[in-house]
Amino acid sequence: NDFQALANKNGKKYDLDIKAEIKGSAKGTTVKASLYDGKNLVAEGEADGAKNTAISFKKLDVEEWSAEIPRLYELYITVYENYFAVIL
């Protein structure tokens, strides 16, 4: 499996586009993406699994990283098969 996340500035906010490529049979799979700021959930979405799955978050209210105020966000992408997480 392969994943790609691309952030684009949209005015003063950001869009995050996530693409997931599922190897083998994607039947019965779900892809879930969760974006966190520390322990706070910023955005979450899921899509039915396919060979090429896309999840998009639009107009995220996130802060830009700077040396003075380093803001880090964590993105978790999980593939589920028949409601069970698949370890990649």
Side-chain angles (χ1 to χ4, degrees), residues 40-84:
N40 301 317
L41 180 64
V42 176
E44 187 170 59
E46 63 180 50
D48 290 336
K51 289 287 184 186
N52 294 296
T53 302
I55 299 172
S56 295
F57 302 127
K58 301 296 182 193
K59 297 186 179 179
L60 292 170
D61 190 18
V62 296
E63 295 180 35
E64 292 183 1
W65 186 94
S66 71
E68 294 80 23
I69 304 172
R71 298 293 299 195
L72 298 177
Y73 295 86
E74 296 177 18
L75 176 64
Y76 295 93
I77 300 172
T78 308
V79 176
Y80 292 90
E81 184 174 7
N82 298 320
Y83 305 104
F84 294 99

